[in-house]
Amino acid sequence: MDIRDQHLNLGEWNELIEQSLADPDSEPLFNLERDENPVYDAIFVGGGAGGRFGSAYMKAMGGRPLIIDAWPFLGGSCPHQACVPHHLFSEAAEELDRMRWFSDELFFPKFDASRANILDLVKLFLAGRGSAHAFMNWQTKEQLDVEYILNARATIIDKNTVTAAGRTFRARNLVLGMGARPVNPDIPGLDLRGVYDFVSLVEDLDYEPTKCVIIGGSKVAMEYGSFFQATGCDTTIVSRSPLMRTKALHHVDEDLRQYVVGGMRKRGMTILEEAVPISVNGTNGTVSSVTVRLASGEQVDLETDFVFLGTGERPNFAQAQEALGIEVGPTGRVVANKRMQTNVPGVYAIGDMIDGPMEMFKARKSGVTAARNIMGEDLEFDFTEFPDFLHTTYEVTWVGLTEAEARAAHDEVIIIQMPPYVEGLDTPNLPLPCAEGTMLYAFSKPELSGFQKLVVDGETRKVLGAHHVGYGAKDAFQYLDHLIHRPEGLTIDSLGWMNELFLNPEHFVQLSRLRAGKAKLVHL
Amino acid sequence: MDIRDQHLNLGEWNELIEQSLADPDSEPLFNLERDENPVYDAIFVGGGAGGRFGSAYMKAMGGRPLIIDAWPFLGGSCPHQACVPHHLFSEAAEELDRMRWFSDELFFPKFDASRANILDLVKLFLAGRGSAHAFMNWQTKEQLDVEYILNARATIIDKNTVTAAGRTFRARNLVLGMGARPVNPDIPGLDLRGVYDFVSLVEDLDYEPTKCVIIGGSKVAMEYGSFFQATGCDTTIVSRSPLMRTKALHHVDEDLRQYVVGGMRKRGMTILEEAVPISVNGTNGTVSSVTVRLASGEQVDLETDFVFLGTGERPNFAQAQEALGIEVGPTGRVVANKRMQTNVPGVYAIGDMIDGPMEMFKARKSGVTAARNIMGEDLEFDFTEFPDFLHTTYEVTWVGLTEAEARAAHDEVIIIQMPPYVEGLDTPNLPLPCAEGTMLYAFSKPELSGFQKLVVDGETRKVLGAHHVGYGAKDAFQYLDHLIHRPEGLTIDSLGWMNELFLNPEHFVQLSRLRAGKAKLVHL
């Protein structure tokens, strides 16, 4: 179907995408210029976050990109199955959590657990996800002017040739952005009814679980688990590593970790750390329990009607490996340098294909990095350091060094935090931090009002790390990351001279100011 | 009562403050070193935000400050009557608003308006405010090591002499931080029962209002009015100026204003702009209506059982004027230069005493500015430009130029916003922005999902202004303010290269990135 000259509005796009998804024989969607046998600057194989941003940047620079995607929409798994539903579910979890804690207090009615359903939220997501798809198709065509073919699986022929929808396309470069998919643990029983991962959860869930066993200790495990528990689905996490102590997460401060994991337990979750899943067991083809070997060595059966896999993801590299001989590293990801170049000249890999965090900023910026290098810039993208976050029923954000990392690397480390850095203060009934986003908690349930910590080098006075549990600080951490990691860094003096917007969710500005007058810094 | 050698914990402080507040004959609290006849570097008359931060900074620099405050606690009106209750009420308003919109949908029960009471929230605040007081007394003594006398009204004798609690104190400088109080409009009937301002609301409210008329169009009017309406108290705002078009607020973008004020109306508030209050009328000493002359010239009586004054504040300068001859300007505020120096050498004025926004950052930083100048630094504090915010049921934040201001000052202005900058896109059913904090709205009630706009100079590529309605971006605006207003500014290229934390409440990073590739910028 040639849509080049159609300027569909969002409603029309929505309908076209829905039809294409519903019908396995639906046509490819061509948004291509009219010239014959063009040679593109790059074909982006995959129109997810990286492909979309990379191609948009290339086009903006005057280049000619083409996106090919198997789905009838751009944006990839994020708005369809991954980060967007996660954010919707996490917002619901925050709200449900508040409604539970305040049940029958103030203006909150007695909490009605029967209303809180995973399935309802999944349905809400499914009913609305098309809007994001429609918008991205519309924007990429009408605002960003990027050519694309959707609803057509690309076949890589060689490093300059891709076929799709029965046609052949030539390019000077290939950019591989084929994403990742959940990886299953190697245990029996995963084919039983009632076993889900984050993809099948939104695609296939058709009953309301009452009990959940999560296998794995990833961010996904913590985020979805907190949501399940908030709906009233009694949730157990089975994790080989202590939560937030996995290799995939760096710079997790121990005080922050304890507040976060303690908060999950306080909400009724069972967290089995250093526990090994042995098998998922079923009755009549449906899951009924999970056998787990505990840290003690004891083996137990956990009864459940819902198993959720949160054991990470691995990239879709098979085709690129076969067709191009792309090198895959020991982590199971495609090997790429800081210009996103693979071992095959002219072939780039981006997003979840390569090492590093499977996060949006990396996906998008790696796409842009590939585009800019292809267009002749010499640009490296180093994502060794970045701000990070996850949700439980809280928003948890961090950037830079933990207190322990800082102490290992610097002689004089100063901690500025809320609750304050003192022994014997009558916490946990201290309503500090008392901050925007946790005001109701601070005045009613002080132990729930969050945690915040700033780690400062006492010698250079530079901020080394910042750590926050609460709400409303995540957006700020984008800028804190920038300020901390620029060459001149961010001193406590400069931070303390900023104009705070009281009652700021994190109090780093004003707390810094209380100490900045001191030539020799001390804790607060 | 000499507390110098007592190291009260927070519970003990809380009790002492409560007792002092309850008993009009309670003793002053002395936290003073033992030396005789000290001469302080400065006496801070008033231990509110400015006095507390100024004295802490002076002490940290090695100076010797003394705070004297009439209240038995430090921190001033903010935690006692002003910004802290406002934030608690605004958080309740956000929550009530969500519970109303989602009544009987998803996990939200049918909204029970009978549970939503202003009085309950006032009581919650009153029961908890002592904790903040206790903490500030504790912290200022134990962590910041500042001397103070509380529960004792200061009498200024001359520019080096203050008496309090029957004792005389000498200092090289005075810093006046005596705060402000609500100012009443000049109309009859304000002495009737049922007429409140933000101070008497928390101190005296003893019934649940059903209808409210707010006189004035200040931030306080918008914030408290949105809270009252959210509880179900049918609220009318009577404002001489259009809301957010008052002299006290600068840089209010018209699109943002329309979203915000439209949102208040959508929630059932009546907003009478260019309307003049004539009188508050009563029956048996209790308020029963407000007479208002509408913009049309017509005069109407608005029945009500609750009148709330939101007509601004004026500083407490009478004593300083009489004792010291302090100059007061045409705005009714003490005249001070950028070093916070008044017309009397050695006398400084800070916080709400002087012109500029009555906001926390100004209070604290003006106190610090006075302290640093007294200690020999040559430091100016310019608060001509600053980030600003207010609450309705939303969090509304802005910094820098509006679109109109930018167009007036620059040849080529580029707008990057959500919903996108295009005609004819099928808004308002567009769930954009789809952002953290408004995910449930985006998927269910798209017209409520917020508004965001970035204003960019097409020539220099620098961000001129940023504007946001939603949740969770306020903390970030502290850093955006810093980045935009530093000498080198913040280019769209630098912004677009930051590491976003998806689904960031404001999408400025990724939206900038979609355009940053263009040598000649265009709208998005």
Side-chain angles (χ1 to χ4, degrees), chain A residues 46 51 63 97 116 163 225 227 338 344 365 388 410 443 452 462 510:
Chain A
D97 188 52
T163 61
F227 165 56
K338 289 181 180 173
V344 182
K365 285 176 66 175
D388 208 352
H410 299 266
F443 273 82
Q452 38 193 270
K462 287 183 185 176
Q510 61 261 39

Side-chain angles (χ1 to χ4, degrees), chain A residues 10 87 95 98 115 364-365 389 430 436 474-475 478-479 481 497 499-500 502 504-506, chain B residues 10 87 91 95 104 364-365 389 430 436 440 474-475 478-479 497 499-500 502 504-506:
Chain A
L10 295 175
H87 278 81
E95 183 64 29
R98 201 177 291 118
R115 291 197 71 107
R364 290 166 168 168
K365 285 176 66 175
F389 79 97
L430 185 64
E436 193 157 288
K474 188 176 145 189
D475 212 283
Q478 305 173 141
Y479 304 103
D481 169 58
W497 195 245
N499 298 317
E500 69 269 34
F502 192 75
N504 27 2
E506 45 82 358
Chain B
L10 295 174
H87 278 81
E91 195 168 296
E95 183 64 29
D104 212 17
R364 289 166 167 168
K365 285 176 66 176
F389 78 96
L430 184 65
E436 193 157 290
L440 283 163
K474 188 176 145 188
D475 212 282
Q478 306 173 143
Y479 304 103
W497 195 245
N499 298 317
E500 70 269 33
F502 192 75
N504 28 2
E506 45 82 358

